[in-house]
Amino acid sequence: MSAPDTQPRSRTSKLLLRAGTGLFWSLVAGIVLARAAFFEPGIYDGFSRVASLAKSLIF
């Protein structure tokens, strides 16, 4: 018996795999940034600094 093929076979499968991977790592980065912004004392003075940081990262 041969091992099953683990690679996606169609173009759509590859696209969905990449989109899912990108979404996963985007969520990981968002969670890490949110944790740094809201749970570490003394890093930010208030919500306005967090908002300006997020704005500078996005734009």
Side-chain angles (χ1 to χ4, degrees), residues 1-57:
M1 291 188 116
S2 64
D5 190 12
T6 59
Q7 295 294 331
R9 293 184 182 170
S10 71
R11 185 180 219 180
T12 305
S13 295
K14 289 180 183 180
L15 181 62
L16 286 174
L17 180 64
R18 287 185 184 185
T21 303
L23 178 63
F24 172 78
W25 286 113
S26 297
L27 289 172
V28 168
I31 290 168
V32 169
L33 288 173
R35 178 162 167 67
F38 293 109
F39 298 115
E40 293 295 327
I43 292 180
Y44 298 108
D45 293 336
F47 182 74
S48 61
R49 286 194 65 187
V50 175
S52 66
L53 175 67
K55 185 178 178 183
S56 68
L57 290 174

